[in-house]
Amino acid sequence: QVQLVESGGDSVQAGGSLRLSCTVSGDLDWHHCMSWFREAPGKEREGITSICSFGQTTHYVASVRGRFTISRDSAKKTLFLQMNNLEVDDSGMYYCAAGTDRAYGPGPLVTTEYKYWGQGTQVTVSS
């Protein structure tokens, strides 16, 4: 059974940085795509970035491109999200997702593509 555990969420001021981690336990094919999603209060969960091993591709939605960086370390079984120059609109619960059959990028950014989810970590950005 695959389990994902996110950490690193915090309250920061706009312009600050955070690094989120997602630690994976259980058997997971690290060649396949993994993603980060976020969910703001009253809004649907949205995919913001993905990473796929074949082709070493990463994909970002426009709202985070240039500020966020996704990476992973298969030896440490951890997915990362480096978030810089945070904005108030970045606030929300952040989830990592795994378990898609897709291995080539751009990785899917829809919730139905992923089997496994963490419990989320809260990010709050204040002005």
Side-chain angles (χ1 to χ4, degrees):
Q1 180 71 14
V2 174
Q3 291 187 324
L4 311 178
V5 179
E6 300 95 338
S7 61
D10 205 343
S11 296
V12 296
Q13 288 194 322
S17 298
L18 285 174
R19 190 191 197 203
L20 305 184
S21 298
C22 172
T23 302
V24 181
S25 60
D27 285 333
L28 188 68
D29 189 331
W30 285 83
H31 293 101
H32 288 190
C33 304
M34 297 177 71
S35 294
W36 286 96
F37 286 70
R38 69 182 177 193
E39 188 172 327
K43 295 187 178 180
E44 292 188 355
R45 190 173 299 188
E46 63 165 341
I48 57 173
T49 180
S50 65
I51 185 168
C52 307
S53 278
F54 289 114
Q56 293 293 314
T57 57
T58 56
H59 176 58
Y60 301 89
V61 296
S63 60
V64 306
R65 191 177 299 126
R67 301 186 298 120
F68 291 11
T69 303
I70 188 173
S71 62
R72 61 184 174 183
D73 186 332
S74 58
K76 295 182 179 180
K77 303 186 78 173
T78 305
L79 177 72
F80 300 101
L81 182 64
Q82 177 66 44
M83 305 188 295
N84 298 328
N85 195 20
L86 282 160
E87 302 171 355
V88 173
D89 286 346
D90 293 320
S91 297
M93 190 71 79
Y94 281 69
Y95 300 90
C96 60
T100 178
D101 291 333
R102 298 264 296 271
Y104 290 90
L109 293 179
V110 291
T111 57
T112 52
E113 283 281 345
Y114 294 95
K115 297 178 187 176
Y116 308 117
W117 294 84
Q119 83 291 344
T121 186
Q122 180 68 40
V123 172
T124 303
V125 185
S126 57
S127 59

